[in-house]
Amino acid sequence: MENEKKYSVNQEQIARFAKALGHPARIAIMQFLAKQDTCFFGDIHEELPIAKATVSQHLKELKNAGLIQGEIETPKVRYCINKENWKIAQKLFNDFMGQCICKNNDSC
């Protein structure tokens, strides 16, 4: 059996966040939610030029990654940014993007 290379917890986590943010609609949703304390699904749907089912799918991806959280207030669902995970994502992305790959300004 071959040796399996394992990824670090941070690598796994940043990949999960990056995948969740890997669509322009999800970026738009996060930017919209960042300006609100909380927001109902209908408000988000009105902000985006896409179908309700598509908005729901994008919200599901963001929620599964832990970047947002939703709370049911029958008959509506209220969403907000998961501030704890957002801070983790911010640190992971800052650390990742702050790595210096090349020793000088020359191209690699």
Side-chain angles (χ1 to χ4, degrees):
M1 188 157 132
E2 289 185 39
N3 289 338
E4 280 190 43
K5 292 185 180 180
K6 301 207 181 213
Y7 298 105
S8 73
V9 171
N10 284 355
Q11 289 168 332
E12 294 279 350
Q13 198 166 26
I14 195 171
R16 186 172 54 253
F17 290 146
K19 182 179 177 186
L21 293 171
H23 191 285
R26 294 183 205 140
I27 298 294
I29 290 169
M30 293 302 294
Q31 288 175 323
F32 181 71
L33 288 176
K35 297 174 189 172
Q36 323 290 322
D37 284 331
T38 61
C39 186
F40 289 102
F41 171 83
D43 299 330
I44 298 168
H45 172 257
E46 288 178 14
E47 186 72 14
L48 299 173
I50 55 179
K52 285 183 181 183
T54 306
V55 173
S56 291
Q57 187 60 37
H58 288 306
L59 289 167
K60 180 181 175 184
E61 291 292 328
L62 292 167
K63 190 173 178 183
N64 287 344
L67 292 172
I68 65 172
Q69 52 198 26
E71 184 176 305
I72 297 172
E73 290 185 7
T74 307
K76 299 179 180 182
V77 180
R78 184 172 50 129
Y79 291 96
C80 64
I81 289 178
N82 182 320
K83 290 182 173 114
E84 182 180 328
N85 284 343
W86 187 251
K87 286 178 185 176
I88 291 168
Q90 183 178 29
K91 181 183 180 337
L92 288 170
F93 280 112
N94 284 340
D95 291 349
F96 174 69
M97 297 301 246
Q99 295 175 10
C100 181
I101 296 171
C102 297
K103 300 278 185 214
N104 54 38
N105 289 333
D106 295 336
S107 297
C108 295

